[in-house]
Amino acid sequence: MKPKLLNTLAPILALGLFSATPVQAEMTADEVKKLVRETLLEQPEILREAIIKLEEKDQLAQQAEFSKQLKQQSAQLFANKTDGIMGNPNGKIEMVYFTDYNCPYCHRMNKTLQTLIKEEPELKVIVKDIGILGPDSVQAARLALATAQEAPRQYEELHQALMSQQRVKTAALATITDKAGLDGKALLKAAESKQVSDKLNQNLSLFRSLGLNGTPALVFPDGTLIPGAVDVAALKDVLQKQKS
């Protein structure tokens, strides 16, 4: 058992034991720890119950922090005009989508989103490009962010071109961009600007402030969070709730 957990449980267990057994003299810290250890060996279910309670407490704290940050960062999440948009730019059903172009789960989620965008005319996907899977991911995110700023109407085309790659390499970005019908040379130059760097850092800051630690992640205005890839049916259920 970790010392920190033992120290947390010791006073609680000791109190319970002392209430059941008269204690003639004060016990030392070592004696209390010994008593706790012996009790846990005899009744290991106590430890399991304590761990469950601690995990529940941590979960509630995380949910509270997520709700707090969602409220504080709402404008940056849902009303930032420098984000890339997929689907209907004026759609009434909004979702924020944190993604990395070299994340295999994001590739799966992208297919789900493509299907839903075709079926749901009011869906607006606000893409928060982040690069958390290495230098190639960072450069791909920079290119996408530059496109969102320089050629927003063509952002979705570039996004799909990048997602169509099994793995995006920095050396291939110009070719991928040109094939998508954009000016690769100009956009790659724009991708190195301070404006793009600031936007990338802002996206990463939002990602971390919400307590997220992996992609993909979907965030809805009502506080619904989907961490990880889900299928079309599951996401349809969520969208239906957003409409009601």
Side-chain angles (χ1 to χ4, degrees):
M1 181 191 303
K2 293 182 180 179
K4 184 177 179 182
L5 182 56
L6 181 58
N7 290 336
T8 302
L9 292 173
I12 300 171
L13 290 171
L15 181 61
L17 289 168
F18 294 164
S19 65
T21 307
V23 178
Q24 299 302 324
E26 261 191 51
M27 298 178 71
T28 66
D30 286 342
E31 288 172 332
V32 169
K33 289 180 181 179
K34 182 181 178 181
L35 179 59
V36 170
R37 184 176 185 279
E38 290 173 352
T39 302
L40 290 176
L41 288 173
E42 292 175 4
Q43 303 178 57
E45 66 274 9
I46 294 174
L47 178 59
R48 182 171 63 251
E49 291 171 6
I51 291 173
I52 290 171
K53 287 293 183 184
L54 286 172
E55 288 176 346
E56 288 175 351
K57 185 178 179 181
D58 287 344
Q59 265 190 340
L60 289 173
Q62 289 170 8
Q63 289 171 1
E65 182 62 21
F66 174 80
S67 297
K68 174 185 172 184
Q69 290 297 327
L70 182 66
K71 185 176 181 180
Q72 291 180 351
Q73 307 288 355
S74 180
Q76 288 295 341
L77 284 164
F78 298 101
N80 192 319
K81 295 183 179 180
T82 61
D83 288 319
I85 302 295
M86 298 196 299
N88 183 351
N90 301 310
K92 295 178 181 179
I93 304 173
E94 295 181 324
M95 70 168 72
V96 164
Y97 172 40
F98 287 95
T99 187
D100 186 303
Y101 290 104
N102 281 327
C103 163
Y105 301 103
C106 294
H107 290 186
R108 285 170 51 190
M109 180 62 90
N110 185 61
K111 291 178 181 178
T112 296
L113 291 176
Q114 280 185 284
T115 298
L116 289 176
I117 285 170
K118 291 176 183 176
E119 296 181 1
E120 180 52 72
E122 287 298 325
L123 180 58
K124 177 182 179 181
V125 181
I126 304 165
V127 186
K128 300 288 185 181
D129 291 295
I130 56 176
I132 58 174
L133 296 176
D136 289 331
S137 289
V138 171
Q139 291 307 116
R142 281 180 166 276
L143 175 61
L145 292 170
T147 303
Q149 294 177 13
E150 301 292 325
R153 292 183 180 179
Q154 293 173 283
Y155 171 84
E156 191 166 356
E157 294 173 47
L158 178 70
H159 179 90
Q160 298 305 336
L162 291 170
M163 278 294 175
S164 69
Q165 308 296 307
Q166 185 172 4
R167 180 166 182 82
V168 178
K169 297 286 188 180
T170 300
L173 289 177
T175 301
I176 294 170
T177 310
D178 288 338
K179 285 184 177 179
L182 289 87
D183 186 340
K185 185 177 180 180
L187 287 174
L188 284 171
K189 182 178 179 180
E192 298 306 315
S193 68
K194 182 181 183 301
Q195 189 176 8
V196 167
S197 294
D198 290 345
K199 178 62 177 176
L200 181 60
N201 289 333
Q202 182 187 78
N203 284 354
L204 286 169
S205 178
L206 282 171
F207 180 76
R208 290 165 182 154
S209 71
L210 291 171
L212 304 176
N213 53 28
T215 55
L218 299 180
V219 180
F220 294 84
D222 68 350
T224 298
L225 168 66
I226 300 178
V230 295
D231 60 21
V232 172
L235 196 48
K236 274 185 176 180
D237 287 342
V238 176
L239 294 184
Q240 192 59 42
K241 292 177 183 176
Q242 300 304 306
K243 294 178 183 179
S244 59

